[in-house]
Amino acid sequence: MKRASLKASLVVVIAAIVLGGVIAGLLPSYWVFLSTSVLITGVALQSLGLVAGRTGMIALCQMSFAGVGAWTVGYLNLAEAPGGLAVWILIGGLAAVPLGVAIGLPALRLRGINLAIVTLSFATAFDTILATMTYPGQTDFLQVPRPELFDSDEGYFVFVLLFYVVIAVALEVLSRSRLGASWLAVRHSERAAAAHGVSIATAKLSAFAISAFVAGISGGLLAGYLGTLVSENFSMMQSLSLYAVAVMTGAHFAEGAIIGGLLVVMFPEILRRLDLPQDIGNVLFAIGATQALSTGETMSETFRRQVRKLMPARVKAAASALASDLPAPVSRAAGPALSIENLTVRYGSVVALDGVSLTVAAGTVAGLIGPNGAGKSTFIDAVAGFLSSYEGSISLGGKPLEGMPAHQRARAGLRRTWQTNRIAPELTVGGYLALAAKGLSASETKAILGWLDCPDPDTLVVSVDAGTRRLLDVAGVVAARPAVVLLDEPAAGQSHEESVRLGQRIAEIPKLFGSAVLLVEHDMDLVRAVCSEVTVLDFGRVIASGPPAKVLDQGSVKKAYLGIEEESVAA
Amino acid sequence: MNALLTSAVAGLTAGGTYALLGVCAVFTYRLVAVVNFTGAAIGTAGTFVLIALYEAGFPLWPSVLAGIAAGTVVGVAIGFIMTRWFGEASASTKAAVTVALLVGIIAIGLRLTGGQHPHNMPELFPGSAFRMAGVEVTIASVLTIGLAALFTILADLFLNNTKVGLNLRALADRPMAAELLGIRVQMLSLLVWGMTGAFTTFALMIIAPQRSPNFMTLSLLVVPALAAALVGLFRSFWRTLAGGIGLGLVEGMASSVDSVSQYRSAIPFLVVLAVLLWSQREARWDEAR
């Protein structure tokens, strides 16, 4: 477990012990009973926060998953299964998992809106099915028994609190893991996540499976709380209003889930005491969610921002570390690291690349240049596996890559950076490096960040300036120490001094990390300084290749770049 | 056989309504880039204005007009929220906003109309239009399907054959760019919202007597509507039309088979699942990211 997760987990546990002790020990029974309901809603909200908050998908059937969990608990009770409530609840959670995965499947390749439609239609279908089947034991008035130790209202409160804390800590640890970082990365940009070797399918389905599991548990807890249930407990309207609350408070934060639970439970209670209709609550949640969506900030995020403002500002120094802490280079055989033969890409009738051949030798830095629209980005997309089809062959260290999707090419040792920034802003600098390079130690992380003048690992990416984020992109790919690194205009937007320094770093990559580099760049000084071979593209064709000093002086290259004829250059 | 045909034809009114709601959803998506979950709720609001006026003793047809006007106003109001605050937001943020608004509208609607309290919804077009193969085809079904087809033709013509339509199509994702071309985006968007509001209200008035007319049930007709729109992949009006009518027919048939009739509201879910799994055979990356 990482230090940061340990700290956050401790905060959750201590807060739970203090608040739990106060509530169970001092408050009257009725309030303890209501607080239990807050916690159960909080568990359901945490499950929703995972898909809605972290992976950014619209999920509208969370209470249906809860219904599956509750139904399973009811069924096990009716069947007098061994194990008691705690075990039944876990089985109920597991029962919801296959459904979560099945419903996540249609959302694998298409984005959020389709998932919203699938989940909403599932919630409708589930409503009818549950109403027809009735809840097990409902007709015989059979109650779900609570464990003996936790039978009183205070006892059951503690029982639910235990579940809440375990789930909150587990989610906290998960969110700081590479899997958690991949959820944020997928939310921000699926392509960029795949370029780090993240399987989009695994990321999305795991989020769905875990979310369904937690939702199923919340349903099981509700079964023990109320004893008997009716299908209305899990109706679509409940799912919809839960979604609105999750959006409003930011349910993927521990405090967001609790604030949401408080709103859902206490607001109707207050309205009831004021003799006002209780369903006004949903109107408030709708307004709150709309407000949160328009500002792009949930209640939890506002809260955290205010707290940060109050804290004395800490000056974040650039990561300083010893160069000797850099991870050891991976030694590779000499010869071609990446070879591309006759690569042709067509968009309809337009030929973007026409029979391009290029080789990058191991241990070298090669350059790919050409005017705008020459096909450089298409070239990188094709090589890294982001185009659905191309002709020709691409092989990495002699192994053909055809038929491999982007994330597998990345895992095989072919990494790329992007012209535009695609790093998820919610990640920390260290978290981003952990996502890009599996199993990097803390000192190695610091060393790589120091090597590229990037900020401290604990810095949030959102507070890093655009130029430095581009360096961070480079840090990410080299940290993985792949066989080949494709750098897409890393010096764009850098000042001359920064670009000179970056050039020195790029030249060191083969020696320090054992990776061959293909540099796509407009900065000719940079290309001259670091590349041993240069290939020039124009209108999708290779017009020259060879050592930079020779190639850059060719008339055809000057013409392609400057648009002037050879004669006038000579004159 | 004849029984099955009878029940299939009985599903035609619903099919026409789904089709019209679906076509409106596609229209909204293609012109203002919003997947609108409040579509049916807007129509429901208008329908309940009709019910309230009718129950208060006002004459039927003026009440219908007032109801349609109310639906238009609600549509424009939601359109105002979407264009005012979410014009440049991403497609999924906009969809999330309409989900949140749906929660609010249903809550307000249930409160104002007394929840599950039964209402007296007048049948606007009683009687049968003609007999086909020994089965009565109702005026209501002919009307909803006719209206859906009319809207499909108009939408198709507008988007493909008018200059404004073409510009809007090209620029639905970038209202700012359209604005720079001199198109009055805000005005046009509100027009789209108002128009779809009027059409859905009328469609819901026709189908309401067949359903239990409570605010939530009617608002949730958005589910089969979006399923129909998915059949057209949110692009083709004609396929959406066919998808909606097909959905109604299948539901009608299912209701005549005892063993599945209770589960017939699961049909849109199965359709959505099938369409999505089929349409994503080939990998595609999220647009431009």
Side-chain angles (χ1 to χ4, degrees), chain B residues 109-190:
Chain B
L110 284 177
R111 169 105 318 263
L112 293 181
T113 62
Q116 312 287 338
H117 171 74
H119 284 277
N120 179 16
M121 175 66 208
E123 203 160 336
L124 297 186
F125 305 98
S128 86
F130 56 86
R131 286 175 74 85
M132 189 180 74
V135 179
E136 300 282 348
V137 178
T138 60
I139 297 180
S141 62
V142 173
L143 206 64
T144 50
I145 292 178
L147 206 60
L150 178 73
F151 196 91
T152 304
I153 294 169
L154 287 180
D156 225 21
L157 283 178
F158 175 68
L159 281 181
N160 293 322
N161 297 327
T162 67
K163 191 157 178 267
V164 177
L166 278 177
N167 281 341
L168 275 177
R169 257 171 74 194
L171 301 163
D173 286 335
R174 299 242 176 93
M176 190 78 94
E179 200 101 61
L180 293 174
L181 283 181
I183 299 175
R184 297 178 64 193
V185 175
Q186 184 112 19
M187 239 0 252
L188 270 170
S189 311
L190 293 183

Side-chain angles (χ1 to χ4, degrees), chain A residues 35-377:
Chain A
S35 306
T36 314
S37 178
V38 170
L39 285 181
I40 295 175
T41 312
V43 172
L45 278 168
Q46 284 193 329
S47 79
L48 190 53
L50 194 65
V51 269
R54 282 187 211 283
T55 51
M57 300 191 273
I58 305 176
L60 305 177
C61 63
Q62 219 58 23
M63 289 314 285
S64 308
F65 293 148
V68 172
W71 197 91
T72 310
V73 168
Y75 179 82
L76 290 171
N77 176 35
L78 198 64
E80 294 177 358
L85 187 60
V87 176
W88 298 345
I89 287 175
L90 289 179
I91 297 175
L94 289 176
V97 169
L99 263 178
V101 172
I103 286 167
L105 275 178
L108 281 189
R109 286 179 182 160
L110 304 159
R111 280 188 70 85
I113 299 158
N114 296 292
L115 189 78
I117 299 173
V118 174
T119 49
L120 185 66
S121 54
F122 175 71
T124 332
F126 189 79
D127 263 12
T128 355
I129 294 170
L130 203 63
T132 314
M133 285 186 354
T134 70
Y135 190 76
Q138 189 182 333
T139 43
D140 325 329
F141 302 104
L142 186 70
Q143 296 263 336
V144 173
R146 294 174 184 175
E148 242 169 71
L149 191 61
F150 302 107
D151 196 36
S152 66
D153 281 338
E154 283 77 14
Y156 198 69
F157 171 78
V158 173
F159 181 75
V160 174
L161 184 66
L162 286 176
F163 269 91
Y164 186 91
V165 169
V166 170
I167 290 169
V169 168
L171 288 181
E172 175 64 40
V173 172
L174 258 180
S175 75
R176 285 172 204 268
S177 70
R178 187 163 183 268
L179 187 65
S182 77
W183 291 334
L184 287 176
V186 165
R187 171 191 180 162
H188 192 66
S189 161
E190 294 187 358
R191 285 165 179 256
H196 287 309
V198 169
S199 156
I200 307 297
T202 313
K204 283 189 176 174
L205 285 186
S206 61
F208 250 90
I210 297 171
S211 161
F213 176 69
V214 176
I217 286 182
S218 80
L221 290 171
L222 195 65
Y225 178 64
L226 296 175
T228 46
L229 293 163
V230 286
S231 57
E232 280 76 37
N233 292 109
F234 308 104
S235 76
M236 168 160 62
M237 208 49 213
Q238 304 284 340
S239 294
L240 281 175
S241 87
L242 200 68
Y243 176 77
V245 172
V247 168
M248 174 178 169
T249 63
H252 52 300
F253 298 104
E255 70 270 23
I258 283 292
I259 295 172
L262 275 171
L263 287 176
V264 170
V265 176
M266 294 302 175
F267 205 69
E269 179 67 20
I270 294 167
L271 291 174
R272 191 179 64 82
R273 291 188 178 222
L274 293 176
D275 250 354
L276 285 168
Q278 294 172 36
D279 43 12
I280 296 180
N282 275 344
V283 180
L284 177 96
F285 302 151
I287 296 170
T290 310
Q291 146 79 12
L293 286 165
S294 77
T295 56
E297 195 177 71
T298 61
M299 283 170 73
S300 307
E301 283 161 318
T302 313
F303 173 73
R304 289 193 176 194
R305 190 163 50 83
Q306 299 295 352
V307 169
R308 261 203 301 274
K309 248 194 226 162
L310 292 178
M311 301 280 231
R314 267 188 302 164
V315 183
K316 288 265 166 72
S320 58
L322 301 169
S324 58
D325 279 339
L326 284 177
V330 179
S331 64
R332 296 177 202 278
L338 177 71
S339 44
I340 287 119
E341 270 166 51
N342 273 320
L343 182 64
T344 301
V345 175
R346 292 191 178 88
Y347 295 120
S349 60
V350 179
V351 182
L353 288 177
D354 187 3
V356 174
S357 297
L358 188 158
T359 306
V360 182
T364 64
V365 178
L368 178 67
I369 62 170
N372 288 329
K376 302 183 301 290
S377 295

Side-chain angles (χ1 to χ4, degrees), chain B residues 54-75:
Chain B
Y54 184 71
E55 283 177 346
F58 285 88
L60 180 61
W61 290 101
S63 308
V64 169
L65 285 183
I68 293 178
T72 313
V73 169
V74 174

